Amino acid sequence: MAIFLHTKINTLCKQQKDREQAINPLFYRIYNINERADFELLLDKPGLIINDHVFDQVKELMKITHPDQKLNAQEQEEAAIQHIKPLLIEEYGVWVYYPWSNRLVHIVDEKEFIELRTSRNQYKITREERDLLAQKKIGVIGLSVGQSVSITLAMERVGGELRLADFDVLELTNLNRIRTGIHNLGLPKVYAVAREIAEIDPFLTVKCFGEGLSESNMDAFFTEGGKLDLLVEESDGFDIKILSRYKAKELQIPVIMEASDRCTVDVERFDLEPNRSILHGMVDHLNIDTLKNLKTTEDKIPYLLTMVGLETSSDKLKASLLEIDQTITTWPQLASSVTMGGGITADVSRRILLNTYTDSGRYHIDIEELVSNKTHEITPTSISPISPAIVDFKNLSKQFVVDHTLDNTLNESAIEKLVSAGCAAPSGGNSQPWRWVYKENTLLLFKAFNDHYSLLGFNNLSSYVALGAASENVTIQADELNLDTKITPFPDKNIPDLVASFTFSNKTSHSSNKKEFAPFIHTRLTNRKSGERRLFTIQELQELKVATEQTKGVELTFFTEEQELNEIGNLLGEIEQIRLLEKQGHTDFINEIRWSEKEAVETRDGIDLRTIDLTNSELAGFKVSKSYNVINLVKQWNGGGAFKKLTKKSIIASGAIGVVSIAGKENIDYYNGGRAIEQLWLLAQSKDIAFQPMASSVFIYARLLEGNGELLSEEGCNKLLALRGSFEKTFRITPNKKELFIFRINKISAPEITSLRKSLKETYCILKNES
């Protein structure tokens, strides 16, 4: 039984495929004796469905032919009978057979059909305009949005010939926006649309390019049977979008494109402006040969996003971009948007063909803006100030009492070398939280601003790590200058922003080996490149461990196994996802990124976007993430997996992950830990080891566990608490040990671009003796 059913289904499917090519209806005018014979054979066809309402059509025709006469029902019927004579009613007009549905429909013939079907267009579209439009040829590439456009053009009878190009077949996922039935699944889209047009108006000419548009058939599509008068471009293919426009420009054919998001309508009047740049000049930089070599989506994304206008897209579309390949597979589209876009595109197409609209441009008909609540609750996108206030370090330094028993005052050149070394230290987000004052014989290091109200800035702990690293650089540079350094951390409790004081004396011995790291102070950098994972030897990792643990209370643990890195990638990825979906975390992210080269040069701080190793799609994701409205939508959808994925990608591409821990949790412990981290980093730099901090989890947990989750949402706190057990287990955190710093290392080439530093003029001054 099962075999029989399978065979029968296969046979029926084959018969169906034989009918797939049928897109043109057959006409029978049975007053013609030859056609009558064929018609009579057709009537014997099994399952034939007949629809005969031609007499009602003739009655309606009588009514619209004499609009000034109020014919009653009997008068209408009598007028119709007289109109049909001398033919019999079954001979009048034309019988139209649709082979794909086995339907036979009796209608008035072409001239009367057009008059009757377009009668309610009158004066919106005059008869003269209708007849002019009937001479026009329109090409439609892409039949998702293009299907709605094509059907609307046919309904209004805008154009006498439609050329449809699409290589795809109908799938169930298309039916959220394409108006067709499930019986058409598997049918080429061009045939489905052609059939629907024929069922609306069998007298329209429809030509199908079921293989889609390509360079090999482009001439036929544009010129065979007469040159197109208008191109409606709705292709998903980037190369076809460009190549079809070059062809349209060459032939001086106007182009219209509609993107369903915010109903973006794009018009290019190559007929009136033959020298106009395609896509309004947005892809002028793209060489046509380069275009042909763009094979992958990653290659095409920068140009696609320029074309669709990412900056002017809706928040929901931007948020959806972040979820592609995470929770969805492609861009979302809605039937309401596609249908509206079809109507608007048909309207603009008609006016282009009638030459009543002659401009080029890009337009948005955003229904959510036009029909919306009149009052909006204004939600601030930022909690902390974008630029924290700088402490008055010059005046604060006046309060500090210098030890006058020391008489080794440095010259200005030596001071600048020391301060320059300190300013080359790493800091979270390249915030550079230091200001320096040289007062008489003492160098003072101030915490430049209060970072407590950034999500990762709880109690300024991350700043103290950076200030410790800066202090270590000063001691190394002093060693290079043959100076001994005396550091006093937090030397005056009455000046809490004063983190350290330094005094210097001529070196009396050569026991220190710190000077060997001096050449790497200014070459040390954060390397965010992913690259290929390269393993380290036990000896290499042990050397880094020993150097770090010279600082009392500091411990370094490495993780190198593939399974360990996968676990760490998942864990840190989830924490990073939580951080960036938090409102304050998002604000910090936006504030620390320098989104353009111009911005990076002007501020000389923050993280230059170009230093982050991003694919084109990841870069697009970063850019759309600038809007908190976008992030809030992602959060509502329980999304954001792209943030996790980006972190995990970096972790699993690492040669090793390192965790620095400390025994205490006071400011001095973080400061001393920062000194140890800088020793570690400079040693890695000297051995050409790529080094990148991955420490946001450290400081977000400091805020959660020691700051009662201030600035975190309840949801964020709960999620972080749920992950804490795994965090401690994975990183081997014990009650007498606290995480300080997490980083990744690898063996890859140095980045071409590095983040900048502020000038000494902005971060340092010499306080003259006023006595």
Side-chain angles (χ1 to χ4, degrees), residues 519-627:
F520 305 103
I521 288 175
H522 294 284
T523 61
R524 183 214 56 78
L525 50 81
T526 296
N527 191 329
R528 299 182 179 90
K529 295 171 74 171
S530 290
E532 183 181 345
R533 184 183 180 215
R534 300 188 182 279
L535 301 179
F536 290 88
T537 65
I538 294 174
Q539 291 77 12
E540 287 174 314
L541 298 179
Q542 184 63 23
E543 187 176 357
L544 296 173
K545 180 176 173 67
V546 169
T548 308
E549 293 180 351
Q550 289 177 357
T551 302
K552 185 179 179 181
V554 175
E555 184 179 323
L556 171 58
T557 305
F558 278 113
F559 301 86
T560 59
E561 296 299 321
E562 190 172 330
Q563 183 179 346
E564 291 177 325
L565 266 57
N566 267 307
E567 290 175 1
I568 291 171
N570 285 325
L571 181 60
L572 294 188
E574 286 192 53
I575 295 171
E576 187 68 357
Q577 180 179 345
I578 294 167
R579 177 177 82 93
L580 293 176
L581 294 181
E582 285 290 312
K583 190 158 195 177
Q584 185 60 55
H586 174 262
T587 298
D588 298 340
F589 163 72
I590 296 306
N591 288 344
E592 77 176 16
I593 297 292
R594 298 297 169 256
W595 297 92
S596 66
E597 180 180 2
K598 179 176 181 288
E599 188 179 5
V601 170
E602 286 177 351
T603 64
R604 302 190 70 83
D605 63 6
I607 298 174
D608 189 328
L609 183 61
R610 298 171 300 160
T611 68
I612 306 174
D613 189 12
L614 299 171
T615 64
N616 290 326
S617 57
E618 289 165 350
L619 178 60
F622 257 57
K623 290 181 176 178
V624 301
S625 298
K626 291 173 72 174
S627 165

Side-chain angles (χ1 to χ4, degrees), residues 5 326 339 464 502 569 571 589 592 624 673 683 744 755:
L5 284 174
Q326 303 300 318
T339 302
Y464 292 130
F502 305 79
L571 181 60
F589 163 72
E592 77 176 16
V624 301
L683 177 58
R744 60 182 287 264
S755 294

